[in-house]
């Protein structure tokens, strides 16, 4: 797998990125913060069902694409908006971007199996749930939780 070097905050590497796939479940395989080494310190799962997403770190909402970058609008859980550029590396997604505080990140996402079947997104006053096949992420104002059914 080829891992691009993280660039300065806000830099879009090598032209426009791709939009978020409309349906998928991914396991994070590593993160580099502010140009540091690629590490993984916990299990992180990201689910996408249409424009809705949930991240097991504790934020969920909607995504939009401006032609080069993806915007993750946090509507539940941790406040803010992440902006990143997605690229494919085989089956993996490489995400490089900027956090709400201006710090940069590079994440490697590997697709999870068992994404066929029921898919959807549900929200209430203080929670958001996304299901993709056998994968569910629930986010509320306190935490994010991942289950495999």
């Amino acid at each position: 797998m080829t891992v691009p070097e993280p660039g300065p905050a806000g830099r879009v590497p090598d032209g426009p990125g791709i939009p978020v796939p409309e349906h998928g479940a991914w396991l994070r395989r590593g993160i580099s913060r502010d140009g540091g080494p690629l590490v993984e310190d916990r299990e992180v799962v990201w689910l996408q069902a249409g424009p809705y997403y949930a991240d097991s770190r504790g934020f969920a909402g909607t995504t939009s694409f401006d032609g080069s970058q993806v915007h993750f609008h946090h509507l539940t859980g941790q406040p803010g908006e992440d902006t990143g550029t997605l690229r494919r590396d085989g089956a993996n997604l490489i995400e490089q971007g900027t956090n709400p505080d201006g710090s940069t990140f590079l994440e490697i996402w590997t697709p999870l199996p068992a994404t066929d079947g029921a898919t959807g997104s549900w929200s209430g006053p203080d929670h958001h749930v996304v299901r993709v096949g056998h994968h569910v992420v629930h986010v509320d104002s306190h935490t994010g939780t991942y289950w495999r059914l």
Side-chain angles (χ1 to χ4, degrees):
M1 164 179 5
T2 305
V3 179
E5 290 297 316
R11 181 179 172 277
V12 178
D14 305 318
I18 62 170
V20 169
E22 289 197 20
H23 172 99
W26 293 274
L27 175 66
R28 190 176 73 185
R29 292 295 185 191
I31 183 168
S32 168
R33 292 178 175 92
D34 292 320
L38 192 65
V39 297
E40 188 52 67
D41 52 6
R42 63 182 171 151
E43 180 182 71
V44 176
V45 172
W46 159 34
L47 302 182
Q48 188 78 33
Y52 303 100
Y53 77 93
D55 188 303
S56 65
R57 289 173 285 186
F59 49 93
T62 60
T63 56
S64 62
F65 182 65
D66 67 11
S68 65
Q69 292 189 305
V70 174
H71 302 271
F72 291 87
H73 310 281
H74 300 201
L75 303 177
T76 304
Q78 298 173 7
E81 178 177 306
D82 298 323
T83 302
T85 302
L86 290 177
R87 302 221 176 282
R88 288 224 176 257
D89 183 26
N92 295 330
L93 289 175
I94 308 295
E95 179 186 4
Q96 183 174 356
T98 306
N99 291 306
D101 66 2
S103 62
T104 62
F105 65 89
L106 180 141
E107 294 174 298
I108 300 172
W109 298 95
T110 300
L112 289 166
T115 59
D116 55 326
T119 298
S121 173
W122 303 268
S123 61
D126 185 34
H127 70 278
H128 195 108
V129 177
V130 173
R131 178 178 179 178
V132 176
H134 294 269
H135 307 279
V136 176
V137 171
H138 172 273
V139 174
D140 60 33
S141 61
H142 305 290
T143 191
T145 306
Y146 165 68
W147 295 283
R148 178 161 178 163
L149 306 176

